[in-house]
Amino acid sequence: MTQRFSRRVVAVVYGVALLLLGTLAAVASSIIWDARGKAIANAQTQATRFVGGSEAALNRALLSIDMMLAGAGEQLRESPRDRIAEDANRPEVRRLVGNLVRQNLLVRFVAFVDAQGVPIASSDRRGAQIPMALPEGFAHDVLAQPLSTMAVSAPISSPATLQQVVFFARAVPLADGSRILAVAEVQISLLALVTMQGAVIPGLEVTLERDAGSLLVSVPARDDLLGRQLEPPLSEQTSDGRPVQMAARLSGVPAILVARPTLHRNLLIVASIPLDAALHDWRQERDRIAWTGVLVGAMILAIAAFTHLQLRRQWQARQELVRSKATLDQALESMIGGFVLLDADDRVLAWNHSFVAMFPWVRPLLAPQVPFRELVAETAKHVVHEGGPGGWLDLNMPQLAREHSEQEAVFDDGRVTQATRSRTPDGGTVCVYQDITEKRRHMAAIVESKAQLQATLEALPDLLLEVGLDGICHGHHAPRVPLPGIQVDQPAGRRLQELLPPQASAEVMAALKEANETGRSSGRQFERRYARSKAWFEISVSRKASGAQADPRFIVILRNITESKRAADEVEQLAFYDTLTGLPNRRLLVDRIKQAIDAAPGRSRWSALLFLDLDNFKTVNDAHGHDTGDVMLKQVAKRLTACLRRGDTVARLGGDEFVVMLAELHERRLIATSETEAIGAAILEQLNRPYQLGSQQHHSTCSIGVALFDTADASLDEVIKQADIAMYDAKTAGGNALRFFETRMQTSITARAALENELHAAVEQRQFVLHYQSQVTSEDRVVAAEVLVRWQHPLRGLLAPGEFIAAAEDTGLIIPLGLWVLETACRQLAAWSEDPRRAHLQLSVNVSARQFRTDDFVKQVARVLERTGADPRQLKLELTESLLQFKVADTIAKMKTLAGMGIQFSMDDFGTGFSSLSYMIQLPLNQIKVDKYFVHGIGLNPKVELVIQTIIGMALNLELQIVAEGVETQAQREFLERHGCHLYQGYLFGKPKALEAYERDLDAQA
């Protein structure tokens, strides 16, 4: 019945809620519909008012134009047709017509035209020459009208302004009975402004139309509809100014439309307001009303749900009360321990199943009002007691007379129980029995654990003290072997300051305070010096559990960690210091830089990081061995250390790289920079002094990069990167220099990195092309060409070698790039060998020193010749003098091997390097190229001309062919030819060109 009542209440609650929701929906719908009608009525009113105002403005404009045309024509009524041009151009007539035009802002000009539309005269300064084009047949139609009234043309594009215009025309009768037209040109855009009168109505469309005819003016402008008839057509009879709902005249969407005729015959002004625009505000109001209704509906549902929930909770509370009574009845039965309730005469009143389970032998005797003594007597038979059942019974029964008593019994099955008896207010007794067999076992385990703990303490090598927060010792445990330097004798009752040295006692007291706050303390250490030795001890403190009122006690453990401390020091030395120089390594340096940055957050303080790299240190290792190099590195470390201030750091990163960190510089950047520069100069001076390496002295220099940083906002990685970049800049500048980091260095490095990445992709994707530049004899005969590589960059276009060769050299990409150039040139030689016109041409290929020094360069060249089938006699390799700076013997051997194949050699840029002339005699050279630096000095510098003559003379004496490159003027050629050079290369004979263009030039020269 309760459940049925609950369902009935739910139905009533939610029925009322649904009724309210229905009423709410009806009211909201009614309000929304009324608002829609008002919005449409408001839009109709707006359209009607606008059309009325626009009609009035348009009528005024049309009337002013009509009057202007009539006034202009009035000046020529007395003129015959044959004098009309002369009379129309009289000054007083032109001045009057001009004033009329200037007074009417809509009209651009007024003109008089004949029946063919040809201008006779106009208000424009060009007179009859004014460019104008009337719609076809317009002039004829106006002149054909019996009455002289103003007519409007169809829209047309003005040849002068290229804008859409309409012409207003009026026939002008002349003295001889003939007629001409007075025409006024009006821009449609100005007519539209008059029509709109500055009205701002959302979505408004306005049109000026002929009666059942074409569109003349539209707002917004629709040039595509001008002159076309709009559907459905409107007429003066149906355009009574009352609003109707039909398609908008321009967009065709449903709209409210109002149309009225103007004073001018057959012209209608039409306004359309699309329903979407008219109902825009209504939709917002509709949405607000709808959302308000939704919120109110949600509140109604929430109130209904809340009411339902409250009623359900009341019903559940009643059910819970019923269940609680049943639970209380079962409480005794669910007790783990046995329970028996006795009356004042010790007779049984109630018991639970646990009591019967614990004492199964009383089951036959249990019944209400049974004397409890009978149950005890039966139980005594199962109890293990030295006095037997009778003795245990005599001991147990007197306990019932006490207010409270506890008794344990051991049974023959090994169980141990504890009986707790308490008197009730009515004189009865409550007996509760607990099985404590497991508790006894736990106690035995605790005793055994205590014995094990004692044995463990005996085995510990540590000193244990029980100490109060005041430092007074209450107990101790000394190790079998006394701790070195600490003698504790009878510590109980004595203070720590009496037992331990001052430093040790202070550390222990600090650990006691920490443990009192957190429960434990560990990690504190102190040093104890004794008998020319020292020992380290670690302190561990733990707070003992005690009552809230008791003074806290602590267990203090002093452990000898001397050996582990020594081992840790050795590990730290290996982990944080360089094994060769003893200086901090990279890890310790980074840690100290972090400390400098984090030491005073928010406080501005300048520091500096100096990256040092020994110049040409590899030469020492190569020449004298790594042991000698290590000796030099140790001397460098000592000199650097001597240059530093207190608090500065010098570290070795590895190899010949060192880092100096200058901390706590001046707060002002300028002064901090000066301090850093002074220290850097001192370092350079020290490192430039000679080094004694065994029996020899060695001179060396150093490149230093400096990054100055403010510790308040510095970034570790950024500081290290900036110092490294600055050092690289000093290195590339020639070394033995100090450079401060500048933003341009970062930009240069970033651009260089991007170039190297793009260069890798270019090599993989073969983005390179070869250009060819001729070598011409004094008889203007092309006998050879030099191949020059260009990079066809996908974004930057064609790049010259100067923009990427250096990067290719540094990255090693010059090797695959050079091999590609060599193979491409050889393939071209093979192709030319089959063409009689070009079979005689030689090709010169530039080979970098790095590519030439590769171990398998000779084999690579041989494989290229084999793959391409090129004639090695037509191939010439151009080398630079830098190739002769290292491994000269190896270079000469490779050149002789390649020369044995028939390959020729040319020394490029001769005279700009530092090669020895003795090597020049040993090299199997065939040709020397005079560098363009010298060629460009011809006629400008007599000393340069003398050097050129010397080079030419030396080449001729050595029987070497000589080529002058960079020849750009006829004077340079004549000078070279006059002094014995008969082979030239340069812009005078042609710029380097792609293969197809180059071959076209060869064909043209042939």
Side-chain angles (χ1 to χ4, degrees), residues 30-197:
S30 176
I31 293 173
I32 291 171
W33 187 254
D34 290 345
R36 186 179 188 278
K38 291 178 181 179
I40 292 177
N42 182 53
Q44 291 174 345
T45 301
Q46 281 186 314
T48 303
R49 288 177 179 174
F50 171 79
V51 168
S54 181
E55 178 195 4
L58 192 60
N59 286 338
R60 287 194 296 272
L62 295 177
L63 184 59
S64 66
I65 295 173
D66 194 11
M67 293 176 64
M68 179 189 68
L69 293 176
E74 195 66 30
Q75 303 300 316
L76 301 178
R77 283 182 177 272
E78 303 301 326
S79 300
R81 178 67 180 86
D82 55 352
R83 292 185 55 193
I84 191 65
E86 179 182 349
D87 292 346
N89 285 297
R90 284 181 303 171
E92 60 273 18
V93 174
R94 289 178 58 83
R95 184 165 52 254
L96 177 61
V97 174
N99 290 336
L100 291 174
V101 172
R102 282 191 293 274
Q103 291 173 7
N104 196 317
L105 298 179
L106 293 178
V107 176
R108 192 170 74 89
F109 65 85
V110 171
F112 297 101
V113 299
D114 58 16
Q116 286 72 38
V118 177
I120 301 171
S122 73
S123 62
D124 191 81
R125 58 183 176 80
R126 290 168 288 186
Q129 303 302 318
I130 183 172
M132 63 178 291
L134 296 177
E136 184 176 355
F138 175 65
H140 180 270
D141 294 342
V142 175
L143 292 175
Q145 294 178 3
L147 296 177
S148 179
T149 59
M150 186 175 67
V152 184
S153 74
I156 190 170
S157 178
S158 170
T161 63
L162 300 181
Q163 294 184 353
Q164 293 290 327
V165 299
V166 294
F167 289 97
F168 291 85
R170 186 181 182 93
V172 177
L174 302 179
D176 57 2
S178 62
R179 295 200 299 176
I180 62 173
L181 284 184
V183 179
E185 180 188 284
V186 177
Q187 291 185 11
I188 288 180
S189 58
L190 296 179
L191 203 57
L193 288 176
V194 173
T195 303
M196 289 301 295
Q197 288 294 300

Side-chain angles (χ1 to χ4, degrees), residues 777-800:
T777 66
S778 55
E779 293 83 15
D780 293 329
R781 180 169 174 265
V782 178
V783 295
E786 180 181 359
V787 292
L788 301 168
V789 66
R790 299 289 188 270
W791 181 2
Q792 189 64 54
H793 195 283
L795 299 178
R796 298 166 58 191
L798 196 66
L799 302 183

